[in-house]
Amino acid sequence: MKIPKFADLILFEDDDLIVINKPAFISSLDDRGEGGEVNILRLAKQYSDDAQVCHRLDKETSGALIIAKNPETYRAVSMQFEKRQVNKVYHAIIDGTHQFDKLFVDLPILNVGKGTVTISRQEGKRAETWFQSLKFFKHYTLVECRPVTGRMHQIRIHLATQRASIAGDEMYKGKPVFLSAIKRKYHLGKDQEELPIMKRFALHAYEVTFKKIDGTPITIHAPYPKDFETLLKLLEKFDA
């Protein structure tokens, strides 16, 4: 995979912080056991010496990620996440047609280790997400997700509980989208293997609203990456 130039990812920058549009397949921080792998924190530190990543996105998730340039800003932004004062908006493409109108899911999540979580009313930690359908296709729906809490895999598992897994999210029963499934008379060449339209699950951190260190509110919107946009365009063309 081609390593992006950090400067090319920047959506907003001032003296205290940077907001980037994180590409998929790059970890936010150092993953345990992945000593040599490139991650956002390392790229950010090459750009700004004291850079700290203020929150994290799953490796496959793209979108808005806040990076502090100094310890004061890191503390200030981290506190906002801790107090649930940061407004996060994600977009997901989910399996099936679902009419979510201000759907509120509050199922507790238990981290069972090895990068997986489960719903557990007894042992889980509180987890809350709002869902709103934005666009309907024959076999899929574009959904806005607003997590109140910030549990690992929260949006992914909350959607799975609604039988609305994110397209391509095989960990939570989501199926990859193949062009042959939505395009009529689609022919694959001899000896060709069909690949999914998106090589990851279809989740993007679309927007983030928080306060800068001087108290000014700021909203940053992260445009869709190419793979997410391509899937939407193909659904509009062949699955509308």
Side-chain angles (χ1 to χ4, degrees):
M1 187 186 130
K2 194 163 162 267
I3 304 304
K5 276 204 184 97
F6 186 80
D8 295 344
L9 307 176
I10 295 173
L11 299 168
F12 171 86
E13 180 177 12
D14 66 10
D15 292 342
D16 297 311
L17 60 89
I18 303 164
V19 182
I20 64 162
N21 195 350
K22 178 183 116 40
F25 306 114
I26 298 182
S27 298
S28 304
L29 304 165
D30 277 315
D31 280 348
R32 286 182 203 94
E34 292 189 8
E37 194 162 293
V38 170
N39 58 59
I40 296 300
L41 180 59
R42 284 189 201 181
L43 293 174
K45 280 187 178 297
Q46 288 167 11
Y47 181 85
S48 179
D49 292 346
D50 290 330
Q52 287 294 336
V53 175
C54 298
H55 56 119
R56 62 192 300 171
L57 296 175
D58 286 345
K59 191 172 180 175
E60 281 186 42
T61 305
S62 53
L65 188 68
I66 307 166
I67 295 161
K69 285 179 165 182
N70 53 56
E72 300 75 44
T73 305
Y74 177 68
R75 271 195 298 276
V77 176
S78 299
M79 281 310 289
Q80 290 176 60
F81 274 101
E82 218 168 286
K83 292 178 177 171
R84 313 213 162 102
Q85 292 165 341
V86 179
N87 192 357
K88 299 161 285 182
V89 180
Y90 290 73
H91 283 186
I93 298 166
I94 58 173
D95 292 340
T97 304
H98 299 273
Q99 299 265 3
F100 294 152
D101 185 17
K102 298 195 177 103
L103 171 72
F104 182 60
V105 178
D106 60 341
L107 293 168
I109 291 173
L110 177 67
N111 188 337
V112 289
K114 291 189 178 157
T116 52
V117 300
T118 186
I119 299 293
S120 169
R121 292 181 192 276
Q122 286 75 38
E123 299 170 80
K125 287 185 175 170
R126 204 184 76 168
E128 301 172 349
T129 320
W130 291 91
F131 296 103
Q132 180 73 38
S133 299
L134 297 177
K135 204 164 203 178
F136 302 101
F137 303 100
K138 276 186 199 147
H139 303 97
Y140 299 92
T141 311
L142 175 66
V143 177
E144 179 186 272
C145 321
R146 291 179 177 263
V148 180
T149 49
R151 307 288 171 218
M152 180 171 148
H153 297 187
Q154 178 174 315
I155 292 169
R156 297 164 63 188
I157 197 165
H158 273 178
L159 281 167
T161 66
Q162 306 305 304
R163 298 193 175 159
S165 298
I166 297 175
D169 192 1
E170 294 183 43
M171 185 180 270
Y172 298 106
K173 297 190 167 67
K175 295 176 184 69
V177 187
F178 291 97
L179 191 54
S180 58
I182 56 170
K183 186 180 178 185
R184 290 174 64 190
K185 297 181 179 159
Y186 175 82
H187 293 298
L188 199 62
K190 196 171 172 276
D191 301 330
Q192 269 187 314
E193 187 196 351
E194 189 183 4
L195 295 170
I197 297 167
M198 256 181 108
K199 294 181 174 69
R200 61 178 178 112
F201 52 78
L203 181 63
H204 176 69
Y206 184 72
E207 198 177 85
V208 65
T209 302
F210 61 102
K211 284 194 171 91
K212 295 203 288 183
I213 201 157
D214 63 0
T216 319
I218 178 170
T219 297
I220 303 293
H221 158 248
Y224 292 149
K226 206 170 169 184
D227 59 353
F228 198 98
E229 203 170 319
T230 299
L231 177 54
L232 268 183
K233 279 182 180 158
L234 290 169
L235 290 176
E236 278 162 11
K237 191 171 179 183
F238 299 116
D239 200 50

